[in-house]
Amino acid sequence: MSSPEVLVIGGGPAGVSAALELARAGIDVTLCEQGPRLGGAIHRQPDDPTQSVRVPRSHKQRWQAMSDELAASTVKVLCRHMFAGIEATGAVLLEDRIHGRLVTRRPAALVLAMGAIERVAPVPGWHLPGVVTVGGLQVMMKSTGRAPDGDVLIAGSGPLLVALAAQMASLGNAPVAVLERSTRLMSVSVIASLLRAPAYLWEAAGYLLTLARSGILPRRGAFVTAIAPRDGRLSVTTLDRHGRERQMLVDRVALHDGLLPNSNGTMAGQHGPFIVRAGDCREVLGGTAALADGRLAAHAVLAQIGKAVRATKVPAAILARERQAQAALNTLFDYSGRDPAQLPDETIICRCEGRTLGQLRSMLSGDDPVSAREIKLNGRFGMGACQGRFCAEWVASFVASQRADGSPPQASEIVGSRWPVKPVPIAAFVTLPPSHPSE
Amino acid sequence: MAVVGAGIVGMSAAHFLSRAGWQVTVYDAGVVASGATGSADGAVSVASKKPGPLMTLAVAAVKFYEQLVATGILVDEYLPRSTFVVASDHEELAVLERHAGELEAAGVPIRMLKGAALMAVIGAAAPTAIAAAEVQREGHAVGYRVVERLRQLGGFAIRRNCRVSGFESSNGCITGVMTEQGTEPADAVLLATGIGSMHFLAESGLIRPRKGQLIVTDRAGADSPHFPGPLMSCRYLVSKGSQPADSAVASRSLGLVIDPLRTGQFLIGGSREDRDDRETADADVVATLLRDAVALSPSLAQLRIIRVFSGLRAATRDGMPIVGHVGGAENLWIATGFEGDGICLGPMIGRLCQQMICGESPEQDISALDAARFGLTLAAAA
Ligand SMILES: Cc1cc2nc3c(=O)[nH]c(=O)nc-3n(C[C@H](O)[C@H](O)[C@H](O)COP(=O)(O)OP(=O)(O)OC[C@H]3O[C@@H](n4cnc5c(N)ncnc54)[C@H](O)[C@@H]3O)c2cc1C
Ligand SMILES: Cc1cc2nc3c(=O)[nH]c(=O)nc-3n(C[C@H](O)[C@H](O)[C@H](O)COP(=O)(O)OP(=O)(O)OC[C@H]3O[C@@H](n4cnc5c(N)ncnc54)[C@H](O)[C@@H]3O)c2cc1C
């Protein structure tokens, strides 16, 4: 009997780590990444190797070591292969973007390491062209090796804001301002927790120093209240912690309000493979944790298919430490976004379908407790191309905030668990050979 | 009045019953439109109906939708349009011509399109199409939107997540409905429970689930070829059993309709499978449907699919819906078994149920749907 195949989805640190650990145990592993290169969010590689963004040396070394081991391993790497879901008979669907076709696999186990999705809390005008996410801008910069041009405003909350700002400054185009919503301060206990994972402190210090040299200090307690088009640019209204309003004219706005696991609704079906999640896709704990979590996922797979697992407590200990550090870090930020009560009715909530907060509010008026499914079908929230991956969480929590009856809807009721997890070209789908040739 | 089932049939009946003076409560085991009504296409169409009572009723149902628009009940929820049944070979053409003749006999306006006329009208059709019948004066309505509109108009109460398990009766009369949340009094009951109806009936195997898978695409660009209405492959007629399956095309179980939605998206479907796993969709069926769709209209290959969903139709043994009185209780009625036609027939059936329950004579002849043909009686457990 040939050894069972394991499929790993996602070529970031978690996926690569899981694939390597499985290969070390002699398992036949295939690693699928939708993009052209491995690396994930943190180790994103440039399109042109001579044009790279400066990243902390420890990051570079870590990725180099993994790439080397991968090259020498038995792991089969498939780039430009997107995981599209698991269909009824249990087959895993992959969109092969190199050949423009759909292929199926029937692995014994599936490791999902698809990273995080960025959360952006709605504000009026956030759907306009020129408004992007902080992570999206960073990925673009890492790919092209160039800072985005024009005047850029960075706003929201989280460590990613200063990371992007510093990287832009190093590439010669510092943002015009960084607005960090949070006013929370470091406490002794937070510092104590972070000292156990000091890399974060060093990284942050490096970024802040770079920014200070460019004359930029994050404005804490400030946030965006509205964005509107003006003369081909974006007019942004901001409020600071003292309640002072300000207008700025910029070319781009980069927003970010935290990260969420990219679970995309995939569930183990009756006939499908054994599924384990790893890295940010399971719990958003950052790059170091993702490496450890990849190994843990591999161990879970090995246990499931009856292979001996080398006993080690190391990855679990790393995970515990990183979880504590992340928890400490999270106390410094404020991912709540603008209070919905302050948002005007015209605010777009579902960007795919252009549905507004006013439409959501009117669905919830009246005594009849409309269900999540009805909000989705009739309100069209989550019915567009992204199928709710970007608005479902916000819609669900807004509905919960309006309901006192203790039956808050879940984001999963809006996203659902159907495939494809992302749009698939029909041209690719029709290439799928029939598994039962028709009579 | 207790109406069991918040699908299009139950909600339409609740609407008309409440207007006729009943105090109505609708009970649903799930939420509004969580059954077939929420996972269907919305062809309000005569084009695919079997000749006979069903075709006649469908003609009346289309008129009923027009009436609901005119009276302001379904404003904006019904889109009049033609359906185009396309034949791609001579066997299909023979089926098409026979079916077109029967539709015309039932009073449906038909225009046959061939050659240059066909291409001029249906820009999106493949060059391999040899003929099409334009079935005029029908339309489209989205089941869950119709139901939402009726909910907004109000006049009756809805109890979600409240499964009805049986009835309390005395002297051959139902006096209450038993739910998970307790027993509530009722003077009359209408079962509009779709595939869930068997729970209440003594007969077994009368209604069976027939799964359908539907594909949703993203929006087509403004420059994409013209779809004047839904394109239906002639094979659909065969899979739906509207025409006797006597030719080589008969072995297919996948009928094909490409339905251009108002949003610019398309619904492509659907399969007819005798199974009940409603939450899943399989790649084989989807790939086959898509291949057939691209063969019928090559420009679809430029789009992407964003979702595949499936629903369960309630298919009766003789392929006809069941509407009427259930034996074993004087004040119990049923309306179920609409298989692939409930969005089309639902609102009118709701009206006819109200007339039947109020002791008026229904404005359409529904004797062919009478529950008495199966001698339906209430299950002992209910
Ligand atoms: C935009 C962004 C920027 C970040 N920048 C930093 C930073 O500068 N510094 C820092 O310390 N941390 C950063 N983080 C945190 C970072 O996510 C983690 O540190 C780490 O990258 C998590 O690793 P992972 O392997 O779990 O996920 P990721 O590194 O996100 O890797 C997931 C991979 O899965 C692939 N994928 C997703 N869906 C599919 C699919 N359907 N089919 C196939 N492949 C798929 C993605 O293309 C990606 O390559 C960032 C996170 C994000 C989201
Ligand atoms: C894929 C697909 C495509 C279709 N396309 C079309 C089309 O184009 N045109 C057309 O006319 N028709 C179409 N149909 C058919 C149409 O959807 C159905 O005929 C119609 O929705 C039936 O409505 P209903 O109210 O009878 O049943 P349902 O909508 O199924 O409603 C029954 C309700 O009863 C509830 N229920 C069941 N048991 C209980 C209980 N014990 N207690 C409380 N509640 C209960 C259920 O939760 C459900 O909400 C399609 C169907 C499918 C699946």
Side-chain angles (χ1 to χ4, degrees), chain B residues 4-11 27-45 49 162-165 192-197 199-200 210-214 236 259 270-272 309-314 335-345:
Chain B
V4 191
I8 194 164
V9 173
M11 291 289 278
Y27 297 87
D28 202 290
V31 298
V32 177
S34 53
T37 301
S39 36
D41 189 8
V44 176
S45 170
K49 302 292 178 282
C162 191
R163 175 180 298 280
V164 172
S165 56
T193 34
I195 194 69
S197 304
H199 169 77
F200 298 100
R210 185 155 293 165
K211 176 175 171 173
Q213 302 188 36
L214 284 175
Y236 182 75
D259 202 341
S271 60
R272 283 170 186 271
F309 63 87
S310 52
L312 297 180
R313 309 175 184 92
T336 185
F338 293 93
E339 200 178 343
D341 302 322
I343 305 303
C344 174
L345 300 176

Side-chain angles (χ1 to χ4, degrees), chain B residues 45-274:
Chain B
S45 170
V46 186
S48 63
K49 302 292 178 282
K50 226 184 278 185
L54 216 49
M55 196 181 267
T56 314
L57 281 171
V59 172
V62 172
K63 294 212 177 81
F64 194 73
Y65 263 98
E66 291 169 353
Q67 215 175 305
L68 292 179
V69 173
T71 52
I73 294 172
L74 286 187
V75 191
D76 282 345
E77 301 302 353
Y78 176 70
L79 181 74
R81 62 181 197 187
S82 298
T83 300
F84 297 82
V85 189
V86 181
S88 301
D89 59 36
H90 289 278
E91 271 162 327
E92 289 184 10
L93 182 59
V95 174
L96 181 65
E97 283 176 337
R98 184 162 26 138
H99 192 65
E102 273 148 357
L103 285 166
E104 275 187 314
V108 179
I110 301 280
R111 176 165 67 140
M112 285 301 283
L113 299 164
K114 287 185 181 168
L118 175 96
M119 287 305 153
V121 176
I122 319 173
T128 48
I130 57 173
E134 176 183 354
V135 183
Q136 296 171 334
R137 259 198 89 178
E138 21 189 66
H140 191 260
V142 179
Y144 56 78
R145 294 193 55 112
V146 169
V147 161
E148 168 65 6
R149 176 77 189 140
L150 297 172
R151 184 191 74 83
Q152 281 170 5
L153 289 172
F156 52 90
I158 302 173
R159 301 283 298 278
R160 293 173 180 77
N161 303 311
C162 191
R163 175 180 298 280
V164 172
S165 56
F167 306 106
E168 214 175 55
S169 44
S170 91
N171 302 328
C173 241
I174 290 177
T175 53
V177 291
M178 299 192 295
T179 78
E180 289 161 334
Q181 294 156 27
T183 299
E184 299 187 15
D187 297 318
V189 175
L190 172 65
L191 289 173
T193 34
I195 194 69
S197 304
M198 283 316 291
H199 169 77
F200 298 100
L201 301 175
E203 293 70 16
S204 65
L206 180 58
I207 300 172
R208 289 200 301 183
R210 185 155 293 165
K211 176 175 171 173
Q213 302 188 36
L214 284 175
I215 301 158
V216 193
T217 74
D218 57 1
R219 291 185 164 82
D223 55 344
S224 52
H226 182 56
F227 278 85
L231 304 192
M232 188 186 288
S233 160
C234 211
R235 284 203 302 253
Y236 182 75
L237 301 178
V238 179
S239 86
K240 222 183 158 199
S242 310
Q243 288 295 329
D246 57 3
S247 57
V249 288
S251 59
R252 297 281 190 130
S253 62
L254 302 176
L256 180 67
V257 181
I258 304 169
D259 202 341
L261 302 179
R262 275 202 259 189
T263 54
Q265 297 169 287
F266 290 87
L267 264 187
I268 300 172
S271 60
R272 283 170 186 271
E273 308 157 67
D274 290 319

